[in-house]
Amino acid sequence: MSSEFGDFHRGRRLRRSPGIRALVRESELRPADLVMPYFVVETDDAAFRKPIGSMPGQFQLSLAELEKQVGAAVKNGLAAVLLFGIPKEKDELGSQAYADEGIVQEAVRRLKDRFPQLTVITDVCLCEYTSHGHCGMVRKDGAILNDPTLELLAKSALSHVRAGADMVAPSDMMDGRVLAIRDALDEHGFSDVPLMSYAVKYASAYYGPFREAAESTPKFGDRKTHQMDPANWREALREGQADLDEGADILMVKPGLPYLDIVRLLRDSFDAPIAVYNVSGEYSMVKAAAQNGWIDEERVVLETLTGFKRAGADIILSYHTEDALRWLNK
Ligand SMILES: [Zn+2]
């Protein structure tokens, strides 16, 4: 029926009731979409559990505490984790990154033993393990050496997979690392282990709180020579294509919120699954505002995570995961 103003679009018809809204909903956030990142610390103190000041609700955890924390989340439907390790000793070459008894390798063994159904993904990089805090080998003048770093990254990934990791996720942004890791895994009989590449990783200020959490702040310089310029989008296509050509199974965009256009671009350009990393700074901003009573945390978080799905992400890595699972289960 037309009104006295004539005929016009009546979009409100499909928003009238929760039932109708559910029928026409286009994107849905599922527990299975979410991956929770954890920081595990090599320590003799089995009860070690240190709050990360800039990331309220997040902790550095001993192996035993990690197991407890993950156990509680698994009961709520947690399906996948991403592990970062913090070693006791750091050195120039980040040797604990590829030590068979390293902290991440131990954490993988422990979680897979305790929760066989849980998908355990490991972050592959050197910056948590190097004394200088850079993602690769560093020359005397401070330059980060690409090709010599590849072998160390491949060794790291291989050691994670040998420990039982279900998937590896290189985050270093060295050129050729996907190829180097894929080759190493294939040569050693792990051709069935998938590789999620931090393919499109921007040199972002949103990583600030993470560096406190992972103790990976560079002692000098920055990461602008290997991470992408936030102003670029065509470059994201070149990086994504290169990583697929080298053997990546999943492409990740990082950070998330300021780069939703890039998520959509990759979704529309490639058939591979797309992941997005809702990074520490994004998390901390929401937490800070929520603690001040300025926003409704639950609604803001679920809206944000749903936004990633709408933009085309299949997988969401987020520090909100444990909370979101609780809210989704309500
Ligand atoms: Zn790194």
Side-chain angles (χ1 to χ4, degrees), residues 125-128 134-135 171-172 201 223:
C125 197
L126 299 179
C127 53
E128 300 117 72
H134 279 291
C135 307
S171 62
D172 51 281
K201 183 177 181 183
R223 302 203 165 125

Side-chain angles (χ1 to χ4, degrees), residues 23 42 61 113 133 153 163 180 201 205 208 218 286 312-313 322-323:
L23 279 173
E42 187 179 10
L61 301 165
D113 182 54
L153 294 167
K201 183 177 181 183
V286 168
E322 288 183 358
D323 290 332

Side-chain angles (χ1 to χ4, degrees), residues 171-191:
S171 62
D172 51 281
M173 286 298 277
M174 294 299 121
D175 294 326
R177 89 268 207 223
V178 170
L179 187 63
I181 292 172
R182 187 71 268 165
D183 275 359
L185 296 184
D186 291 355
E187 268 169 34
H188 291 85
F190 296 111
S191 52

Side-chain angles (χ1 to χ4, degrees), residues 70-290:
V70 170
V74 164
K75 282 205 186 92
N76 272 324
L78 179 70
V81 300
L82 175 68
L83 296 180
F84 294 92
I86 301 155
K88 237 183 222 171
E89 308 287 344
K90 303 192 182 206
D91 57 40
E92 290 266 298
L93 295 179
S95 56
Q96 284 304 304
Y98 37 89
D100 283 334
E101 313 297 318
I103 183 61
V104 156
Q105 292 80 354
E106 293 292 346
V108 170
R109 278 185 208 104
R110 189 124 168 187
L111 292 183
K112 286 308 291 183
D113 182 54
R114 187 81 177 65
F115 313 105
Q117 308 302 322
L118 184 73
T119 297
V120 175
I121 310 168
T122 54
D123 181 86
V124 177
C125 197
L126 299 179
C127 53
E128 300 117 72
Y129 304 92
T130 50
S131 44
H132 42 71
H134 279 291
C135 307
M137 283 171 69
V138 174
R139 204 167 56 193
K140 275 204 178 74
D141 63 359
I144 298 161
L145 299 171
N146 192 90
D147 296 17
T149 299
L150 299 181
E151 192 192 336
L152 302 183
L153 294 167
K155 274 168 77 174
S156 303
L158 186 57
S159 72
H160 296 174
V161 172
R162 279 187 170 136
D166 296 294
M167 189 187 299
V168 289
S171 62
D172 51 281
M173 286 298 277
M174 294 299 121
D175 294 326
R177 89 268 207 223
V178 170
L179 187 63
I181 292 172
R182 187 71 268 165
D183 275 359
L185 296 184
D186 291 355
E187 268 169 34
H188 291 85
F190 296 111
S191 52
D192 52 350
V193 175
L195 198 156
M196 173 162 67
S197 170
Y198 288 65
V200 181
K201 183 177 181 183
Y202 288 91
S204 171
Y206 285 87
Y207 305 146
F210 173 91
R211 292 183 183 164
E212 178 195 347
E215 299 179 7
S216 62
T217 308
K219 298 278 184 289
F220 55 87
D222 55 37
R223 302 203 165 125
K224 288 182 184 156
T225 62
H226 50 289
Q227 295 178 352
M228 283 174 54
D229 183 335
N232 293 357
W233 64 270
R234 290 190 302 263
E235 190 182 5
L237 292 173
R238 296 200 295 275
E239 289 288 348
Q241 188 62 60
D243 282 8
L244 288 176
D245 292 345
E246 289 181 27
D249 300 284
I250 299 170
L251 299 177
M252 190 201 296
V253 175
K254 182 180 182 182
L257 277 181
Y259 299 93
L260 287 179
D261 58 325
I262 305 299
V263 174
R264 169 52 58 191
L265 177 69
L266 263 61
R267 168 73 294 137
D268 291 345
S269 306
F270 303 116
D271 290 333
I274 304 297
V276 64
Y277 201 138
N278 177 216
V279 302
S280 59
E282 301 169 52
Y283 172 86
S284 300
M285 292 193 303
V286 168
K287 280 288 180 180

Side-chain angles (χ1 to χ4, degrees), residues 30-35 77 79-80 314 325:
R30 305 171 308 150
D33 301 325
L34 297 168
V35 181
D314 302 288
L325 288 172

